[in-house]
Structure formats: structure tokens, C-alpha cells
Amino acid sequence: MRKTGFLLKEEHSGYLMSLPYVVYFCLFVAFPLIFSFILVFHRWNIITPMEFIGLGNFERLFHDVQFFKALRNTVIFLLIHIPLQIVVALLFATLLSQQIKAKGLFRAIYFMPVIVSGVVVTILWMQLYNYDAGILNVLLSKLGLKRVPWLISPSWAMPSIAIMATWKNVGLYIVIFLVGLQNIPGYLYEAAEIDGASGLQKFFYITLPSLNSAMVLVIILSTIGGFSLFIEPFVMTGGGPMNSTLSAMLYIYNQAFYFGHMGYAATLGFSFAMIVFVVIIIQRKIVERK
Amino acid sequence: MKKFVVYLVLIVGGVIFFYPFLWMIMATFRSEIDIGYPGLFVKSLTLHNYEIVFKRIPILRALFNSLFVSLSVTASVIFFGSVVGYALSRLKFKIKGLILGVILFTMVIPFQITLIPMYILMVKFGWVDTYLALIVPGMISSFGILLFRQFFLDIPQDLIDAARIDGCNDFQILFKIFLPLSKPVMITVGIFSFMATWNDVLWPMLVIRTRELMTMPQLVTLFSIGGEAEGQLGPQLAATTLLALPIVVAYAFFQRYFIESMATTGLKG
């Protein structure tokens, strides 16, 4: 009798205590999702009534030069950002996993750009990248090299943003790789040493394969980051020059809040989200098969 | 010799990650003509850049807004995270599995899908240009719930049984027994949600238009790209330094917790 009393009470508490999440889910997850499905079939500027246009938004999307430009820019960003991030993070994680002094201090310094706001990093790097007065170009010209048109040339602008994003995020990935390195059992290396493996062989046959799940994580998080890129081009270039830094998120923002095309902006959001999904699934397949 | 190379690379890395911040701070004390100087030396120290910032924009008000919004969201995420996490880890009820599945599902939804409908929801609620738009959508975090759930699963059942026999209800068990044991997970969830809210700039840009309600990142962004800094680098960097300062100071004291929190959330997320 007492036991069932407990259970009944337990069930009531269960419903009561999970109620906040159910309310939150209905309001801020389910409703926006459903509403997004409605929006993609409509033309709407929030003020006048919604106008049903069937697949009109998707038709427009397939002929939208700017959409493909934003997609292309994101791919360029990721092609530079991901490899750079992995190489730099692996380098420092490997060095930090050795017997060295002041390990915590180094780790803390590398992690600093991760904790500050993207706005700080963006405004700071805008000065570093300044063509005439930025430190990078001042240093380059002191070394007798040519100044780089970091943010003013269409072919340099997106790579410049990708380099900055790597500087900002790599500390997190160093820590993730460090955790992965610590989880590799020492006897693997000992066995390899007995077999006479060289340092490089140990790295490619033991270290790298053991870091596979960390690698997947780094690639996925960077990909999501690439498709969420917003404040960097918004502040640095406004998407220019010649739309070369127009990112997915910046284009959605412009369509919604500059032109008031809510239906089309929702369609863009929906499409980019689907692309993120597919890209991540493909990346997973490739990396995990190795 | 090998050790020497290791330290050399580590130190060069340290300079690359740290020097720009140092340079920025020193540059804010220079006059506009000297700002391009790549060294740290300040020829004639001036506070002019900070004067411009404090005169032109309500930066202290923005600091208050950022603190108020971030602390509210963080407190709420911890509160609801522990309540729902408790239900999902220690109570038996019918739709528990369903709710857990839904939470896992919500974590993989890219925010690009829900952003525009969420904005429209704020418009329809009349929450645009209020604190509500900045706080309420962040009050519950799926991730926070999962971390609390994970932690609570490892607390021995004996504690619950004993408390029940003493007549405690589940809220009392949660707040009197579970939460005092949960400092590590509270720190992790707390730092993570505080940082995410403090540093967010896209959402505030959508829902806040009045300067007096802006959080620091938004105000500094608009100051920098708008006309108020008059294209001068000094005031922009000064505003940026003020934006970085609170988090960097907190980081200096609690860096171990920051790194642990961000790494766990990265690893499990």
C-alpha cells in the first residue's frame, strides 16, 4: 500500500517537474518549427497579411545568385578554417601533452580568445588587418614584403576571416585534442617502441587513429560555426567586397531585416539547415570509415 | 635541444594568442595618430578614447543590461535544468522516455530554422525592445537539463529513499539533498550559459532597438560600425576593451573552471 502511494506521488512529481520543459518546448521549439514550415510557402513582410505562393520561395532560391554565393563563401571558409584548425590544434595539443613546465599557463593563454566575445575579436582584428596602419601590414613592410589587402580584396577577404576565426576558436580544439591524447593508453606507444617505430610512425599509426572521435567533433563544430558566421562579416566587411564575405547567416539577416522578406528568409534558413545536416552526415561517414 | 624547440614553439604560440590583446589595451591609451604603432610603448598617455566612449554611448547601462540578462538566464537555466534533470533521472512517469527523446532531438536542430519564427513570436508577444525577449527564450537549456540528468543518475538511491521516509517531497529532496552535492555541474552549466548569453550578439540585434536596453556586445558593435566613433580607431578599441574586461577578469580568477566547462560542453554537445 505504502509502496503504491510512493509511486503515485512519484508519477505526479514527474509530470509537475517536467512541465516547465514541456511548456518551453511547445512555445520555443515546436511552434517555431511548425511556423517555419508554414512560412516557407508564403510571402510575408510581417505587416500585411500572409500570401500563399506554394513553392515560389524555393523556385526563387534555385535562381538566386546571392544564395549560391553565400554557399560558395561558406565552403571557401570551411576549406581554409577546418584544415588550419586541425593542424594548429594538433600541433599545440601534442606539445602540451609532453612533460613541460607552465603547461597550465600556456593552455590558459591559448584559450583566451575562446572566452571573449566575437565582437571583441572582430573589432581587434579589423585593426590588425587594416591595409595602411594595421600591425600585420606594418610588420610585413618592415620585413620588406608586400602589404596584403586583407579585407579589401575579394579573394583575400574570406580567407582573412577564416584565419581570424581559427585564432579565436583553436584554443577550444587544443583542449579537446589534449583530452583525446590523455585517453590514449601508454602501452600502445611502449609496444610500438619495442617494435622500433619512429616518432612519425607512432604519430600516424597510433595518435591520429586514436583521436578519431575528437576529430569528428572538431570538424562538426567548425562546420556549424561556418554556417553560423555572422558578426565577423557584418562588422568587418558588411558582406563585401563584391559579396565575397556574404555568409549564410548574414544573407538570412539581410533578407529578413533589411528587405522584410520573412517567408524567403525562413526558406533560406530551412535550406541552409538542411545543407548543414547533409554535410555533417557526409563528414561523419568519411572520417569514421578511416 | 628537443625541449628547447618545444618551448620555442609554445612561446611563439603564446605571443600570437596574447600579444593582440596586450596591443589593443596599450593602443587605447594612444592618440589617434600613433595607433598604428605595432609595439606596446605609449608615447603620450591619454584617456581621450575612453572619454569619447563614455560621452557618446551608455556603456555603463549596457554593462548593467548584460549582467542582468546573463545572470537571469544563468540562474534560470540552473534552476529549471536541475528540476527537469531530476525528474528525468530519478522519477518514474509515463512520458519520461518521450521527453528525453524530444530533448535529444531539439539539440540537433540548427538555429537557422527557428531564428525567423522566433523573431516573429517576439513581435507577436509584444516583447521586442523589452528584457523579456532577451531572457525568456534562453530560460531553459536542453543541454543544461542533460548535464544535470547525467550527474543526478550517479547519486545513490538510498539518499532518496531515506528522505522519503522522513516525509520529504521531491522538491525538498532536490533542493536540500541533490543541489548541495551538485556544485561541479552547477559551475559547468553556469559558466556555459553565462558565457553564451553574455557573448551573444545576433539575437539582441534582432529584438532590441533602444540603446538603453542594449547589451554590451550589441552596443559596442553598433558604436563601431555606426557613425558615433567617427571612423576613429582609438574609441572603437577603447569600447572593445571595456567589453572584453569583465570576462577576462573573471577568466583570470577562474580559468580552470572556464576551460573545463567549455571543454565538457564541447565534448558532450
Side-chain angles (χ1 to χ4, degrees), chain B residues 202-243:
Chain B
L202 174 58
W203 181 246
M205 293 241 293
L206 304 190
V207 294
I208 300 297
R209 276 87 200 249
T210 314
R211 279 212 318 190
E212 275 60 39
L213 288 175
M214 286 180 183
T215 55
M216 271 184 114
Q218 184 188 10
L219 189 69
V220 171
T221 300
L222 296 182
F223 175 68
S224 175
I225 62 172
E228 281 164 322
E230 289 165 1
Q232 291 186 45
L233 305 183
Q236 290 184 30
L237 289 176
T240 308
T241 304
L242 291 174
L243 167 62

Side-chain angles (χ1 to χ4, degrees), chain A residues 258-271:
Chain A
Y258 197 75
F259 300 111
H261 298 158
M262 290 298 162
Y264 190 55
T267 311
L268 286 169
F270 179 82
S271 310

Side-chain angles (χ1 to χ4, degrees), chain A residues 42-249:
Chain A
H42 289 81
R43 181 182 293 148
W44 195 35
N45 61 4
I46 291 205
I47 302 151
T48 56
M50 272 189 179
E51 183 192 339
F52 181 78
I53 53 166
L55 289 174
N57 281 323
F58 288 98
E59 233 164 82
R60 177 172 166 198
L61 184 111
F62 281 112
H63 298 102
D64 186 351
V65 182
Q66 299 227 55
F67 165 73
F68 288 104
K69 186 89 190 174
L71 198 56
R72 209 188 86 132
N73 293 338
T74 308
V75 172
I76 294 176
F77 174 87
L78 292 178
L79 283 179
I80 298 167
H81 181 54
I82 294 178
L84 193 61
Q85 183 129 275
I86 290 175
V87 170
V88 176
L90 263 181
L91 171 68
F92 285 106
T94 319
L95 294 181
L96 282 181
S97 68
Q98 294 176 21
Q99 294 292 335
I100 52 152
K101 283 184 191 122
K103 198 181 282 191
L105 178 69
F106 283 119
R107 196 182 62 157
I109 289 175
Y110 302 155
F111 204 78
M112 227 174 102
V114 179
I115 57 131
V116 299
S117 157
V119 173
V120 172
V121 172
T122 305
I123 296 176
L124 170 57
W125 276 73
M126 223 163 95
Q127 318 306 342
L128 304 186
Y129 277 152
N130 188 299
Y131 186 73
D132 297 311
I135 349 183
L136 287 175
N137 275 351
V138 171
L139 285 178
L140 283 178
S141 58
K142 273 198 178 141
L143 293 171
L145 298 165
K146 260 176 71 179
R147 286 163 188 266
V148 175
W150 299 104
L151 294 172
I152 46 180
S153 127
S155 49
W156 268 102
M158 204 51 166
S160 301
I161 291 182
I163 293 171
M164 175 186 77
T166 308
W167 182 83
K168 167 147 179 41
N169 298 327
V170 80
L172 179 64
Y173 301 110
I174 292 174
V175 174
I176 290 177
F177 277 134
L178 257 178
V179 174
L181 286 173
Q182 277 155 10
N183 290 339
I184 303 176
Y187 64 80
L188 285 181
Y189 291 107
E190 285 157 23
E193 259 159 45
I194 292 168
D195 291 343
S198 72
L200 271 183
Q201 277 173 327
K202 278 188 278 183
F203 180 77
F204 280 104
Y205 290 103
I206 300 173
T207 313
L208 265 190
S210 312
L211 288 176
N212 220 326
S213 59
M215 201 70 91
V216 172
L217 185 71
V218 170
I219 292 173
I220 289 177
L221 288 179
S222 309
T223 306
I224 294 173
F227 278 92
S228 315
L229 201 64
F230 171 75
I231 197 67
E232 295 83 354
F234 183 84
V235 170
M236 287 182 133
T237 56
M242 291 162 70
N243 281 333
S244 62
T245 56
L246 183 73
S247 68
M249 205 48 240

